[in-house]
Amino acid sequence: MGYATLKDVAKMAGVSLATASRALNNRGDVDQATRKKVLEAAKALSYTPNPLARGLLSGTTKTIGILVTTIQNPFYAAVVTGIEKVLAAEGYTIILCSSHEEPAAEREAIRTLLARRVDGLIIAPVQSRPDGLELLFESNVPFVFVARYMPGIDTDYVVCDDEAVGRLATEHLIAKGHRRIMFLNSSRNSSAELRQRGYEESLKAHGIPMDPALVRTVQNGTQAEEVMATALEEGVQATAVFCFCDEMAVGVLRALAARGIRVPEEMAVISCDNLAFTAV
Amino acid sequence: MGYATLKDVAKMAGVSLATASRALNNRGDVDQATRKKVLEAAKALSYTPNPLARGLLSGTTKTIGILVTTIQNPFYAAVVTGIEKVLAAEGYTIILCSSHEEPAAEREAIRTLLARRVDGLIIAPVQSRPDGLELLFESNVPFVFVARYMPGIDTDYVVCDDEAVGRLATEHLIAKGHRRIMFLNSSRNSSAELRQRGYEESLKAHGIPMDPALVRTVQNGTQAEEVMATALEEGVQATAVFCFCDEMAVGVLRALAARGIRVPEEMAVISCDNLAFTAV
DNA sequence: CTGAAAGCGCTTACAG
DNA sequence: CTGAAAGCGCTTACAG
């Protein structure tokens, strides 16, 4: 069967393709009676314009590419849901890709999205450096960053004040009397860099020496448990852990629980995102 | 600027459109030297075929529509991630829509997806009845159900044995000595119906009368806390709660914590999905 | 107010 | 092995 085409509609209404198109798009002057016939035919045939044909003419796809690390991190699930909602209301559709924090996957996704001719891109970049993203910059396709950005790249971005995030978390723990504070950080991206800066600033402001052994990098949220476990095996000396995100905190709590380390009595844990499941 | 077209490639390579197309697609016989020239030109111009033009010819979009309730429920985030991964490897791209458990939104999303000419659909249906989905059934576009299905609709679906789920959870609680077991269920969909059947069967098998006051329906994961709170305000008599999904369990735990009710001493809680954040 | 024609970017028979 | 032509489904000047 397939979809009805404009030609089918025109034929049923007894008019030309051009007239059918005008009637359907409310363009130019079309006789009331003619328009009515066309609309009825379109309805009878369940006509819906082929977006491929339209896109070919207009050079537009009404499609936005979304590239985040993974929607398995509820933070990004929320971001994507919000984007989808607003865009749907505007008649746009989203194509979703995941980088899983891997630069190569990110490049590949950008290639895919551009090949799909998206009208724009919303990206949570894996790295804070624009390496290997020439394709994107040279494409002339508009893009904005979300959650993270790239210093020096001239485009809009929606982020929080990550340096303040690092400071707030660290200050809080210091105020609670902690001086040996682990930082389980993400890597490469701007949020990671800025939160770490906030962390270091706070330590410095309180005269606490910064111990590199306390800062651990996690490539990917799901590795947090392993990284924390390793630190514990190594006998890391700390009384608190500042986690880059809630997802990592779950892994940390698990590593701690596995060793019978009580939270917060023996180890305080703080993290960011304020995700629903953390509010129990 | 815009994208280079086949015409640009052909011109640079000094061949016709047809030959350029053949060279690029490894179709028919093309002289080695000619093919090389075309490939070089394509590379030099960063040529990538316009999927709109291709789709118009082939009647195919290499796009699959995914319709779930919301990726904010980590269960569906995992489902979508898996689908995306497999499809990406096959050169397909996904368009994501959310129904938020609302039949009207589901219908609208299906309309949108079909209008986009997706090659197929993967749907977690809101209802177990095929009401209002004529559009889908008449479209001839292949679709499969995931997580939930519609009895009587002839298509493939990927689900778990929901009746067994209901039975296992209930039996477990009964084995622990519980007889007043609340069931915080989802609504309308097949999983909800089947899990409830399993719940009722188990009660019956153990000679426990089924009390309708113990079964509460939640329209939407985020309402679980409220529904549980209401039940508690009403003075519901129960020693255990069986939650339809992990997301709901979080709400339940919160409602319990707010009232100082200890888990599991005063109220046992069980739920399904085995999501990462529940494993702490 | 309406229709014939061109063209968006591609692929595919059909001839050479 | 290669090119000219038609056509996928639409929109938009251009004529009437």
Side-chain angles (χ1 to χ4, degrees):
Chain A
M1 265 250 342
Y3 298 92
T5 68
L6 224 212
K7 200 169 158 188
D8 300 326
V9 174
K11 184 185 290 178
M12 177 178 263
V15 300
S16 71
L17 271 181
T19 298
S21 174
R22 282 189 213 101
L24 254 12
N25 296 300
N26 276 312
R27 248 187 226 310
D29 287 316
V30 179
D31 184 87
Q32 274 308 327
T34 308
R35 181 188 309 270
K36 187 154 173 266
K37 271 190 302 181
V38 173
L39 294 183
E40 284 173 358
K43 185 158 193 186
L45 296 169
S46 298
Y47 172 72
T48 117
N50 186 318
L52 300 176
R54 261 200 179 160
L56 207 47
L57 269 310
S58 68
T60 238
T61 53
K62 287 287 221 171
T63 294
I64 302 294
I66 312 286
L67 175 51
V68 297
T69 62
T70 171
I71 54 170
Q72 299 217 61
N73 179 334
F75 172 78
Y76 286 110
V79 167
V80 172
T81 298
I83 292 171
E84 182 205 339
K85 191 171 172 184
V86 172
L87 252 26
E90 299 287 333
Y92 281 80
T93 249
I94 67 173
I95 299 188
L96 179 67
C97 288
S98 310
S99 66
H100 299 284
E101 297 285 8
E102 289 165 22
E106 178 176 85
R107 273 195 298 281
E108 189 50 34
I110 288 174
R111 182 183 305 283
T112 298
L113 258 8
L114 291 177
R116 287 288 179 167
R117 304 299 196 258
V118 294
D119 293 342
L121 287 158
I122 299 179
I123 306 175
V126 173
Q127 308 183 72
S128 59
R129 310 261 156 259
D131 304 335
L133 264 38
E134 296 72 23
L135 193 64
L136 173 63
F137 305 138
E138 288 164 8
S139 72
N140 280 328
V141 174
F143 62 91
V144 301
F145 290 129
V146 66
R148 307 159 171 190
Y149 74 109
M150 290 189 191
I153 297 300
D154 180 34
T155 191
D156 291 318
Y157 47 86
V158 181
V159 299
C160 61
D161 183 344
D162 282 301
E163 203 171 319
V165 169
R167 248 183 284 123
L168 286 168
T170 311
E171 296 283 353
H172 178 76
L173 292 170
I174 292 174
K176 291 280 183 185
H178 297 282
R179 296 187 57 90
R180 298 285 302 170
I181 302 172
M182 274 190 73
F183 182 19
L184 221 65
N185 200 9
S186 176
S187 59
R188 289 188 295 242
N189 61 71
S190 63
S191 291
E193 290 178 7
L194 294 171
R195 290 185 191 180
Q196 178 146 353
R197 191 176 300 169
Y199 165 81
E200 293 178 3
E201 276 167 8
S202 297
L203 291 181
K204 194 169 178 187
H206 291 268
I208 302 175
M210 146 84 185
D211 179 354
L214 292 180
V215 178
R216 308 271 166 149
T217 277
V218 175
Q219 296 300 328
N220 168 321
T222 58
Q223 295 174 348
E225 180 174 2
E226 187 187 330
V227 171
M228 187 65 198
T230 302
L232 292 170
E233 300 302 332
E234 292 173 9
V236 67
Q237 294 299 316
T239 61
V241 195
F242 164 27
C243 303
F244 178 79
C245 65
D246 285 345
E247 190 192 19
M248 290 188 192
V250 173
V252 167
L253 291 177
R254 204 172 299 152
L256 258 15
R259 284 157 190 75
I261 300 174
R262 286 169 302 148
V263 176
E265 295 81 359
E266 300 175 81
M267 187 75 83
V269 177
I270 192 169
S271 71
C272 324
D273 285 350
N274 198 26
L275 297 179
F277 69 80
T278 64
V280 175
Chain B
M1 265 247 344
Y3 299 91
T5 67
L6 223 213
K7 200 169 158 189
D8 300 326
V9 174
K11 184 185 290 178
M12 176 179 266
V15 300
S16 72
L17 272 181
T19 298
S21 174
R22 281 190 213 99
L24 255 10
N25 295 299
N26 276 312
R27 251 188 222 309
D29 287 315
V30 178
D31 184 87
Q32 274 308 327
T34 307
R35 181 189 309 270
K36 187 153 173 265
K37 271 190 303 181
V38 173
L39 294 183
E40 284 173 357
K43 185 157 193 187
L45 295 169
S46 298
Y47 172 72
T48 120
N50 186 318
L52 299 175
R54 262 201 177 158
L56 207 47
L57 268 310
S58 68
T60 237
T61 53
K62 288 286 221 171
T63 295
I64 301 293
I66 312 287
L67 175 51
V68 298
T69 63
T70 172
I71 55 170
Q72 299 217 62
N73 179 334
F75 172 78
Y76 286 111
V79 167
V80 172
T81 298
I83 292 171
E84 182 205 338
K85 192 171 171 184
V86 172
L87 252 25
E90 299 287 333
Y92 282 80
T93 251
I94 68 173
I95 299 187
L96 179 67
C97 289
S98 309
S99 66
H100 298 285
E101 297 284 9
E102 289 165 21
E106 178 175 84
R107 273 196 299 280
E108 189 50 34
I110 288 174
R111 181 183 305 282
T112 297
L113 259 8
L114 291 176
R116 288 287 179 167
R117 303 298 195 261
V118 294
D119 292 344
L121 287 158
I122 299 179
I123 305 175
V126 173
Q127 308 184 73
S128 59
R129 309 262 156 258
D131 304 336
L133 265 38
E134 296 73 22
L135 193 64
L136 173 63
F137 305 137
E138 288 164 7
S139 71
N140 281 327
V141 174
F143 62 92
V144 302
F145 291 128
V146 66
R148 308 158 170 189
Y149 75 111
M150 291 188 191
I153 297 299
D154 181 33
T155 190
D156 291 318
Y157 48 86
V158 180
V159 299
C160 61
D161 183 344
D162 282 302
E163 204 171 319
V165 168
R167 247 183 284 122
L168 285 168
T170 312
E171 296 283 352
H172 178 77
L173 292 170
I174 292 174
K176 291 282 185 185
H178 297 282
R179 296 186 58 90
R180 299 284 302 171
I181 303 172
M182 274 188 74
F183 182 19
L184 221 64
N185 200 9
S186 175
S187 60
R188 289 189 294 244
N189 61 72
S190 63
S191 291
E193 290 178 7
L194 294 171
R195 289 184 191 181
Q196 177 145 355
R197 192 178 299 168
Y199 165 79
E200 293 178 3
E201 276 168 9
S202 297
L203 291 181
K204 194 170 177 184
H206 291 267
I208 302 175
M210 147 82 186
D211 179 355
L214 291 180
V215 178
R216 309 271 167 149
T217 277
V218 175
Q219 296 300 328
N220 169 319
T222 59
Q223 295 175 349
E225 179 175 2
E226 186 187 329
V227 172
M228 187 64 197
T230 301
L232 291 170
E233 300 301 333
E234 292 174 7
V236 68
Q237 294 299 317
T239 61
V241 195
F242 164 28
C243 304
F244 178 80
C245 64
D246 285 346
E247 191 192 17
M248 289 187 193
V250 173
V252 166
L253 290 177
R254 203 170 299 153
L256 258 16
R259 285 160 189 73
I261 300 174
R262 286 169 303 146
V263 177
E265 294 82 359
E266 300 175 81
M267 186 76 82
V269 176
I270 192 169
S271 72
C272 323
D273 285 350
N274 198 26
L275 297 178
F277 70 79
T278 63
V280 176

